[in-house]
Amino acid sequence: MRMRVRTQLKDIASFSKGAQINGDELVENGKYDYLNGGITPSGKWNEYNTPGGTVTISEGGNSCGYVNYMRNPFWCGAHCYYLFDTISDTEYLYYMLKSQQDRLMKIRTGACMPNIKKADLGSFELEYDTDVEKQQLVVSTLKRVEAIITARHSQLSALDDLIKARFVEMFGDPMPAWPLVTIGDICADTRTGPFGSALHHDEFVNEGIFVLGIDNAVENKFSYSRMRYITEVKYQQLKRYTVHPGDVIITIMGTIGRSAVIPEDMPLAINTKHLACLTPDYSKASSVFLCSAFQMHPEVQRQLTGNAKGAIMDGLNLGIIKSLRFRLPPMQAQKDFELFYAHIDKSKSVIKKSLEGTQILFDSLMQKYFG
């Protein structure tokens, strides 16, 4: 008989924080992961203080409340709770807590450095099924679906690696006969977005003309995430900052050097001061090649890193972007790479569609099992 019980976390598990290791002490080729909160391990260490098969919850920082399941022994840091002496299957407990992750993130306190207090975590309420056989069935089903999701992500990562390998193969060892150019030499126009009083956050509206920011390029591909809008009237004042299909945008503040091509179906939009926008001279450079150069060209990458580290804060400016130098391959080679990129991108689209469907299935099962 199925028995659902509502309880507090402290009644079904004990929990504690781990021990801190300074980042500069971590071992590059250590045997065990070092998890200090966060979403992924922070590095490696040669010892472990927590066994495999352990549920963790990030204690502090921006990822405070994030739930992980560590299958192998690891070193748990001081900003991470680990659960032990659980009265239910640990994998079942993981999925149960993972389904409540949004609620966990709401019990954090503190503005500058959010954290979850031990007492608040202990009194966190959740509902679970006491039937062990049902727990095992839930875990078995969710693991199978999660394995498909992991496989799809691995396929996408492998295709990204294939694109990078092809780029480096074609352009990483440039021919001396190729002309040495700057980014400015191969662009018809370069610009950043409006600064200072030209655009205030309180001028954003619920619909209108798109305003692009870092979020739209930070994944090294164009994303419609976190779209902002201005009115048509405001756009008329700022239309010199309009982006066009085929333009390349580059993040120049925060997470710098990420790039994306503006898609052909992009509605009317402008970019903000956090982005540089480049319009290629299409007789010299293709959009896909130019965008990929920021992501994969060894010489461009070296200059980007060097210029960013030389600043007081990580950041770039339009002058730095335009002055980046490299040897420009012939247009035919660029177009050959663009065709290869398009072929791989088509395969990625098929996998992404499958991934989206599998993720919807996983989410619906989590809702069914845990509400």
Side-chain angles (χ1 to χ4, degrees):
M1 180 178 179
R2 191 176 188 186
M3 292 289 294
R4 294 193 67 82
V5 175
R6 190 163 188 84
T7 186
Q8 294 183 335
L9 184 59
K10 64 184 178 184
D11 295 326
I12 60 173
S14 299
F15 49 91
S16 181
K17 289 191 283 187
Q20 188 72 16
I21 297 174
N22 293 329
D24 57 3
E25 296 177 352
L26 294 176
V27 182
E28 184 176 351
N29 297 313
K31 185 176 180 181
Y32 302 102
D33 284 331
Y34 172 58
L35 185 68
N36 192 30
I39 294 175
T40 58
S42 304
K44 294 286 187 176
W45 191 240
N46 280 330
E47 299 178 58
Y48 72 90
N49 62 358
T50 313
T54 296
V55 180
T56 67
I57 301 173
S58 178
E59 178 268 345
N62 292 331
S63 59
C64 179
Y66 188 86
V67 182
N68 250 322
Y69 187 72
M70 302 297 287
R71 300 189 180 279
N72 301 312
F74 68 104
W75 188 279
C76 185
H79 296 290
C80 187
Y81 289 112
Y82 66 94
L83 278 57
F84 59 98
D85 293 340
T86 63
I87 66 170
S88 65
D89 182 280
T90 55
E91 287 184 288
Y92 180 81
L93 180 58
Y94 161 69
Y95 286 120
M96 179 171 54
L97 286 167
K98 193 69 174 176
S99 73
Q100 305 300 313
Q101 185 169 273
D102 288 345
R103 287 183 54 228
L104 277 167
M105 290 183 168
K106 290 178 181 177
I107 67 173
R108 57 174 121 184
T109 58
C112 296
M113 184 58 70
N115 66 91
I116 293 179
K117 293 182 171 61
K118 192 171 184 179
D120 293 336
L121 184 61
S123 59
F124 184 78
E125 292 189 346
L126 63 166
E127 190 176 274
Y128 76 106
D129 197 322
T130 59
D131 187 324
V132 175
E133 290 187 2
K134 292 288 179 58
Q135 290 184 16
Q136 293 173 344
L137 178 61
V138 167
V139 169
S140 175
T141 302
L142 291 174
K143 282 180 69 175
R144 286 199 299 271
V145 178
E146 203 168 38
I148 297 173
I149 291 173
T150 300
R152 295 291 178 266
H153 280 297
S154 296
Q155 288 174 321
L156 290 172
S157 180
L159 289 175
D160 285 338
D161 289 343
L162 184 60
I163 290 174
K164 183 173 183 179
R166 182 62 172 156
F167 184 94
V168 173
E169 178 188 358
M170 294 181 68
F171 311 122
D173 189 14
M175 299 290 291
W178 295 351
L180 186 63
V181 300
T182 66
I183 293 292
D185 293 334
I186 60 173
C187 289
D189 188 26
T190 58
R191 57 206 179 277
T192 53
F195 285 80
S197 60
L199 181 61
H200 292 286
H201 285 287
D202 58 11
E203 293 181 284
F204 292 139
V205 293
N206 292 328
E207 59 181 22
I209 311 301
F210 284 141
V211 178
L212 305 182
I214 291 175
D215 296 316
N216 306 114
V218 75
E219 297 176 2
N220 268 335
K221 60 184 178 182
F222 186 81
S223 168
Y224 282 98
S225 63
R226 199 184 173 191
M227 299 301 294
R228 294 146 291 238
Y229 307 88
I230 54 175
T231 64
E232 175 67 33
V233 172
K234 188 64 181 177
Y235 168 71
Q236 290 302 321
Q237 302 172 18
L238 303 174
K239 61 182 180 181
R240 64 185 179 278
Y241 302 114
T242 301
V243 298
H244 306 281
D247 283 353
V248 177
I249 52 175
I250 302 101
T251 58
I252 58 175
M253 296 181 69
T255 305
I256 64 165
R258 304 297 178 88
S259 59
V261 178
I262 301 298
E264 290 297 322
D265 60 351
M266 181 71 198
L268 190 62
I270 66 168
N271 63 296
T272 64
K273 64 181 181 180
H274 299 128
L275 296 173
C277 183
L278 312 179
T279 301
D281 178 341
Y282 295 110
S283 68
K284 299 177 181 178
S286 78
S287 299
V288 170
F289 170 79
L290 181 58
C291 180
S292 299
F294 285 98
Q295 301 172 19
M296 295 178 272
H297 197 294
E299 183 62 17
V300 173
Q301 287 275 293
R302 184 190 65 77
Q303 293 174 74
L304 280 173
T305 302
N307 279 293
K309 287 184 177 178
I312 297 175
M313 294 177 61
D314 277 359
L316 301 169
N317 58 48
L318 193 57
I320 292 174
I321 294 290
K322 292 170 64 176
S323 67
L324 297 174
R325 298 171 65 85
F326 65 103
R327 292 198 176 275
L328 182 69
M331 276 300 300
Q332 187 57 54
Q334 294 183 45
K335 289 185 179 298
D336 289 345
F337 174 75
E338 191 169 0
L339 286 173
F340 177 82
Y341 186 98
H343 176 73
I344 299 299
D345 199 48
K346 187 178 294 184
S347 298
K348 288 174 64 176
S349 295
V350 173
I351 296 171
K352 286 176 183 177
K353 187 174 182 179
S354 173
L355 176 60
E356 289 170 3
T358 310
Q359 186 65 56
I360 290 171
L361 172 60
F362 182 82
D363 294 341
S364 66
L365 287 171
M366 292 282 274
Q367 179 66 27
K368 173 184 176 182
Y369 294 140
F370 303 113

